Amino acid sequence: MREITLSQAVNEALAEEMRRDPTTFIIGEDVAEAGTPFKILSGLVEEFGTDRVVDTPIAEPGFMGLAVGAAMTGTRPIVDLMFGDFLFLVMDQLCNQAAKTHYMSGGKMNAPLVLRTNLGATRRSAAQHSQSLHALVAHIPGLKVALPSSAYEAKGLLKTAIRDNNPVVIFEDKLMYNDKAPVPEEEFLIPFGEANVKRSGTDITLIGTSSMVQVCENAADILSSEGISAEVIDPRTIVPLDEETLLTSARKTSRVIVVDEGHQSYGVTGEIASRINEKAFYHLDAPVLRMGAMDVPVPFSPALEDITVPTPEGVAESARKLMSGEMFHAT
């Protein structure tokens, strides 16, 4: 199978869906001639024109509001939000309008739009361009939230998102745009709410989101060399969340670490850990451990930024302590 980058996979998914459905269009800052700062959309304006790849002013609340209205009246907008940090600027349009349209209209209206944005630190982009805010929108009923962990996942999840009749927010990790993975040339979709067991194991379960899936896989390699068998699971979507796959693994291995790049407090790690503790309690040999980003603004300094997010070595060390019981000994 051919290998392409995550950036190419996103571009392919958008082009295929725009060819399939003439009601789809892209709107956002620098999406046309510039192809976004990450050059993900390069070539799309040449094929589809400026009526369907629409450059906007620097006015996130404005073009998000336009997209919500367009979605409610028969089209399928794909909103490109340059950085995930800019979510704060579109929260009313996204969370009070798009997320609630179907419910407040008694099921008579939908807002089938996709908000594409990104997450992730360690790119030296400082505190206002490095946040991972997926838990923010996962908290809002009416929104679906997808977190691709590879080029394959990015293409399959994005195509599913575009065809969904609900508003979907999809987060891509900024550091993964040049990462390559096998992606079929033929059409495929990845259903929402179906986690992917990336690696089978028997001793401990590592649940990772987005780029943290790779962190967990690398940690599993370290642990394997020490005789510890780690199962690695990618939830793919946190709304809807495939609880059953996570619970089945927890019941099998009896120990779980949840790894996410969002701030640890009040985040995705806490939600997943809580569900496993509630529904697999009698199968656990230790409480579920959470590993998220430090609860600090993301530093610009490389030396400081690198230590704010989970690493394979850190996950492996926590797994060792969890296996031995050391982490929960009274001091």
Side-chain angles (χ1 to χ4, degrees), residues 2-13 38-40 150-155 176-183:
R2 64 170 186 161
E3 288 195 348
I4 60 174
T5 65
L6 192 148
S7 177
Q8 290 171 318
V10 170
N11 189 294
E12 275 192 5
F38 302 100
K39 305 304 177 187
I40 300 162
S150 71
Y152 175 82
E153 311 287 339
K155 184 171 183 181
M176 295 176 64
Y177 281 132
N178 291 322
D179 288 2
K180 288 188 174 183
V183 178

Side-chain angles (χ1 to χ4, degrees), residues 197 199-207 220 223 228-233 244-258 276 280-289 319 322-324:
V197 180
R199 177 177 182 146
S200 295
T202 56
D203 296 327
I204 189 168
T205 298
L206 305 179
I207 301 169
L223 294 169
I228 299 173
S229 174
E231 183 149 289
V232 177
I233 301 179
E244 193 50 47
T245 296
L246 305 183
L247 293 172
T248 297
S249 181
R251 291 169 183 143
K252 177 176 68 171
T253 67
S254 301
R255 297 175 181 87
V256 181
I257 300 177
V258 188
I276 295 172
F281 178 79
Y282 292 105
H283 297 268
L284 298 175
D285 290 337
V288 178
L289 180 66
L322 202 62
M323 293 291 297
S324 67

